[in-house]
Amino acid sequence: MGLGKSPRAVAVSPDGSTVYTANNNGTLSVVDVATEALTATVSVGQYLRGVAVSGDGARVYVTDLGQSTVSVIATADNTISATIGGFRGPTAITLSPDSTYAYVANRGTTTVSVIDTNPASEAYNTVIGTIATPGSPQGVAFSPDGSRAYVTSFSGYGNWVSVIDTATNTETQRINFVGSSPIGIAVTPDGSAIYVANSANDIKPNPYPITVISAATNTITVKFASPKGPAALAFTPDSTLYINDTNGPGVSVVAPVLDPTGIGNGGDGGKGGAVGNGGDGGDGASAKASAGVAGGYGGKGGNGGSTAGDAGAGGNGGAAVSTYATATATGGNGGNGGNGIGAGANGGTGGNGGDATTVDGKADAGAGGIGGSGGAGGTRGQDGQPGTVTS
């Protein structure tokens, strides 16, 4: 296509007709999707790193790492209509779902800048706020309703995703241990999960470069390996995931990505009262993913009461289904049965291990989950069935 040297970021117009690439040589390339022809080259500055398109398609915002600015391009004639300063090493830029403001990751500091991008606002195209992050910020993604933003950052002390309340522009929660050197981040179209691309693809400390976080609980639910070292992620409306592989062929396509109703470990059963029975452990949730994935663990059965009362059974491990050609599915382990405490009380039965299934003949089937051991005097749970491979 004759793009500028070393394209670093890409964005698509809302109608899907035009692609914009921010290039390391300081230019913005404009490409017609239908013809795959380069229709314009805009000279912006030095070392472009991020690009975003407004919801009406009228404006393109580009970060310039070399000049620490953000340039606004009018798409009607592909000219620079404004240049915004006040940044420190700006890289990623993401517009809110309603295009009234943008978040800019300042890689040279531990901050994210907020730009007013509402043409009707008196503060239009100015920096209106700054958000602190624990490390050097790398990527930004918004929830579909715009109420939350998620920012990846890292330093020599850790790797994080910050959850930002966009109404107040403050960090409300910090998710630790997301992976190694997290950069790219994307939210599923239904807003149920956040996907994080960890650029370090080494075995230690991170053998699972894609991390999935539940938006409901802000907890890590699963990690799976991408084909190579991922740097950027994007979802289509049907939840197909595109992964930009810095060490691979360029872009990998993964579909379907994840069954958002799956993933999760069962809760432990409650302890019985003095003469009560212990509660049963919850079943682990089943998991379906496009790469290596494990079903949730069954919860541990509650212990029986101190005087009498049988212990609860362990929960069953969740089943796991892999839909990716080179991935492995592993069923979750069944929970252990609780112990019978009172004289003559029965121990709880261990939960069954979850089954494991892959749906491509190129993948190795994971082993079934391990049945939980019975509590004192209880019966050991059955092991899950070995995985199957179907073409």
Side-chain angles (χ1 to χ4, degrees):
M1 292 185 187
L3 300 180
K5 182 179 180 181
S6 300
R8 294 302 181 95
V10 62
V12 182
S13 62
D15 63 4
S17 65
T18 308
V19 169
Y20 301 91
T21 67
N23 308 310
N24 192 53
N25 66 353
T27 64
L28 177 74
S29 297
V30 185
V31 178
D32 182 272
V33 171
T35 63
E36 297 186 356
L38 179 68
T39 59
T41 299
V42 184
S43 294
V44 178
Q46 306 173 14
Y47 314 130
L48 306 189
R49 286 297 182 270
V51 60
V53 186
S54 62
D56 60 4
R59 290 157 288 132
V60 175
Y61 290 80
V62 185
T63 59
D64 186 334
L65 180 65
Q67 299 184 130
S68 286
T69 58
V70 171
S71 294
V72 187
I73 314 298
T75 60
D77 56 8
N78 290 320
T79 60
I80 298 174
S81 61
T83 300
I84 309 168
F87 306 96
R88 291 281 301 276
T91 51
I93 181 169
T94 305
L95 283 160
S96 63
D98 63 2
S99 292
T100 59
Y101 58 93
Y103 278 11
V104 179
N106 293 299
R107 193 177 71 180
T109 65
T110 55
T111 64
V112 170
S113 296
V114 186
I115 304 174
D116 186 319
T117 56
N118 181 5
S121 170
E122 293 182 357
Y124 179 48
N125 283 342
T126 62
V127 177
I128 58 173
T130 302
I131 304 166
T133 57
S136 172
Q138 304 293 320
V140 179
F142 287 97
S143 62
D145 64 2
S147 64
R148 297 177 306 281
Y150 304 94
V151 180
T152 56
S153 68
F154 63 85
S155 71
Y157 299 99
N159 303 275
W160 305 275
V161 168
S162 296
V163 183
I164 308 298
D165 181 342
T166 59
T168 59
N169 288 326
T170 55
E171 183 188 53
T172 59
Q173 191 165 346
R174 186 175 298 172
I175 305 168
N176 299 318
F177 309 114
V178 295
S180 184
S181 301
I183 295 182
I185 188 166
V187 180
T188 54
D190 64 0
S192 65
I194 303 101
Y195 280 62
V196 179
N198 297 291
S199 61
N201 198 23
D202 53 351
I203 298 301
K204 295 180 180 180
N206 176 32
Y208 305 107
I210 301 293
T211 301
V212 184
I213 298 168
S214 166
T217 62
N218 290 327
T219 57
I220 296 170
T221 55
V222 69
K223 295 181 180 180
F224 63 82
S226 70
K228 291 288 183 177
L233 305 173
F235 281 104
T236 60
D238 67 352
S239 294
T240 298
L241 175 64
Y242 285 80
I243 304 173
N244 177 29
D245 294 332
T246 56
N247 298 321
V251 176
S252 296
V253 182
V254 178
V257 175
L258 181 71
D259 175 1
T261 62
I263 311 300
N265 299 328
D268 292 342
K271 177 182 177 181
V275 295
N277 297 329
D280 293 341
D283 292 342
S286 296
K288 178 181 179 182
S290 54
V293 66
Y297 284 79
K300 179 182 181 296
N303 292 334
S306 57
T307 303
D310 295 335
N316 296 321
V321 178
S322 173
T323 62
Y324 190 65
T326 58
T328 299
T330 304
N333 292 339
N336 292 336
N339 294 322
I341 304 298
N346 295 316
T349 300
N352 296 327
D355 294 337
T357 307
T358 55
V359 293
D360 192 299
K362 297 179 181 179
D364 295 328
I370 300 170
S373 59
T379 304
R380 184 183 184 279
Q382 297 178 355
D383 288 347
Q385 294 299 309
T388 58
V389 176
T390 58
S391 56

